[in-house]
Amino acid sequence: MNEQIKVRISEEEVNARIAEIAAQISEDFKGEEILAVGILRGGVYFCTELTKRITVPVILDFIEASSYGDGTQSCGQVKITKDLIEDIAGKNVIVVEDIVDTGRTLSLLLENLRKRNPKSLKLCTLLDKPERRVVEVPVDYNGFQIPNEFVVGYGMDYAQRYRNLPYIGVVEAE
Ligand code: PRP
């Protein structure tokens, strides 16, 4: 391999921030149940670490989607490659994602989920790269805002590698 990974956000910082978000969600949904929807594959580590720390009842489900279409257009289509098992109608749904970049995937996915009539629908992302935004997406819970650099770890990959790093790093060519 011809690259090195430099730590950008340490494991301790990531975990501390996840605990804060989990506390906020637990407070916001006091007395209610939530249905956490992790987005495969990138959102899987954040989703499990987050839901472990939420103190209200949690139902866990996953969905896998890919967006496609003309790269210069703000509208495209989302292809659900693995759908939810649960019926989300009437549920408090929190979509849990690793990163919001252009916003295309999430805006289309949220539109798809909204049609299933959840009681509420929130978006929680570990990272937000606002500089790259092409489509507006309402981010309800955000771990860290980051500049436009390529990050890996905590679910995020570089050619499918490094998802399992317990911290967020940047790829540096050797
Ligand atoms: C990443 C990430 C988001 C999406 C964000 O997924 O997990 O779903 O891209 O980009 P956008 O805001 O520009 O739409 P990716 O398609 O890389 O799949 P993965 O989660 O399996 O790595």
Side-chain angles (χ1 to χ4, degrees):
M1 240 169 278
N2 299 321
E3 68 262 355
Q4 271 204 324
I5 309 300
K6 191 175 165 194
V7 178
R8 184 58 95 229
I9 307 174
S10 71
E11 181 173 5
E12 292 72 24
E13 283 178 274
V14 176
N15 290 339
R17 185 71 188 116
I18 291 175
E20 287 176 359
I21 300 169
Q24 184 66 57
I25 291 173
S26 305
E27 180 63 30
D28 292 350
F29 288 90
K30 214 180 225 166
E32 305 237 17
E33 179 180 78
I34 65 169
L35 198 159
V37 172
I39 313 295
L40 299 172
R41 291 180 247 178
V44 78
Y45 288 88
F46 177 41
C47 189
T48 54
E49 291 301 318
L50 179 76
T51 52
K52 269 161 64 176
R53 295 166 170 88
I54 290 175
T55 53
V56 297
V58 176
I59 295 172
L60 183 63
D61 204 350
F62 292 93
I63 193 168
E64 184 180 62
S66 60
S67 63
Y68 55 93
D70 182 341
T72 63
Q73 297 283 321
S74 62
C75 60
Q77 284 183 297
V78 69
K79 187 175 170 199
I80 308 281
T81 44
K82 184 218 166 282
D83 207 347
L84 295 172
I85 293 169
E86 300 296 322
D87 177 3
I88 65 168
K91 307 279 189 190
N92 294 306
V93 174
I94 302 183
V95 172
V96 185
E97 179 59 296
D98 53 349
I99 187 163
V100 180
D101 191 1
T102 66
R104 285 197 178 94
T105 312
L106 264 301
S107 85
L108 293 166
L109 194 61
L110 289 173
E111 198 182 308
N112 178 295
L113 295 177
R114 205 168 286 118
K115 286 181 188 152
R116 306 185 195 193
N117 300 317
K119 179 178 176 187
S120 62
L121 182 60
K122 304 279 184 202
L123 171 59
C124 177
T125 184
L126 181 57
L127 302 177
D128 187 7
K129 249 191 208 180
E131 274 174 58
R132 292 259 307 159
R133 199 73 94 255
V134 175
V135 187
E136 266 323 300
V137 182
V139 176
D140 299 290
Y141 304 98
N142 177 36
F144 303 90
Q145 250 188 33
I146 58 161
N148 185 17
E149 58 185 4
F150 197 90
V151 285
V152 295
Y154 237 95
M156 290 165 290
D157 73 304
Y158 174 61
Q160 296 305 332
R161 297 201 181 87
Y162 308 119
R163 289 191 196 272
N164 60 317
L165 295 179
Y167 54 86
I168 293 163
V170 287
V171 180
E172 291 189 333
E174 283 205 316

